Amino acid sequence: MEEMKLAAVPPEEFGALAEEIAALWHSAYDALLGAGQVEYMLEKFQSAPALREQTERENYIYFRIMLGGRKAGYCALRPEREKLFLSKLYLGADLRGQGLGQRALAIVAEDARRLGLKAVYLTVNKGNARAIRAYEKFGFARTGEGVTDIGGGYAMDDYFYECAVRS
């Protein structure tokens, strides 16, 4: 089994990361949300300037998910007082369904435990059945739901999930 690790992405690589993110998001969301909303969300939340803003002002940390020596996807984490917010976790389309998401979630949970945090929480689009199954399989429990206006005539319709971290 190839080693999986999270490699922090330095700010000088945010442009390249934003290009990688665009490909991942289009494969994950075009059929669910439409290409127009995906493009809007990429520009607003996952462009190089947005990544820089999130890391400098909102305490986000962006990681590439590395499998062996190759890029398998990315994730974004934000440590908080008692919990770790898993903001993003995406794998390449050719790598989905192989248990790699579970391995990545285990690494995230271990990071939270190492930081002394009590839980990992996240939001997931209500229509993203594959991700919901993966989170529930790992042990995340649904804690709520909400609709967030993100501007441009678009909204995010999400479930909220949380998973306790074993100490």
Side-chain angles (χ1 to χ4, degrees), residues 12-50:
E12 60 270 16
E13 293 182 24
F14 284 169
L17 179 61
E19 291 177 17
E20 296 163 25
I21 289 170
L24 291 168
W25 275 40
H26 280 294
S27 74
Y29 288 125
D30 279 3
L32 182 63
L33 302 174
Q37 182 168 346
V38 172
E39 280 299 320
Y40 175 82
M41 292 172 67
L42 285 167
E43 183 60 33
K44 184 170 178 110
F45 302 117
Q46 298 291 267
S47 63

Side-chain angles (χ1 to χ4, degrees), residues 1 4-6 65 75 77 84 86 89 91 99-114 120 122 134-135 137-140 163-166:
M1 183 180 322
M4 178 181 278
K5 67 178 183 176
L6 302 184
I65 300 171
C75 73
L77 306 174
L84 182 67
L86 173 56
L89 194 155
L91 294 170
L100 299 175
Q102 297 296 299
R103 288 174 60 192
L105 288 170
I107 293 169
V108 169
E110 175 58 25
D111 283 351
R113 188 200 62 73
R114 187 179 41 75
V120 177
L122 57 88
Y135 294 134
K137 179 179 179 181
F138 188 81
F140 280 84
C163 183
V165 174
R166 297 179 204 107

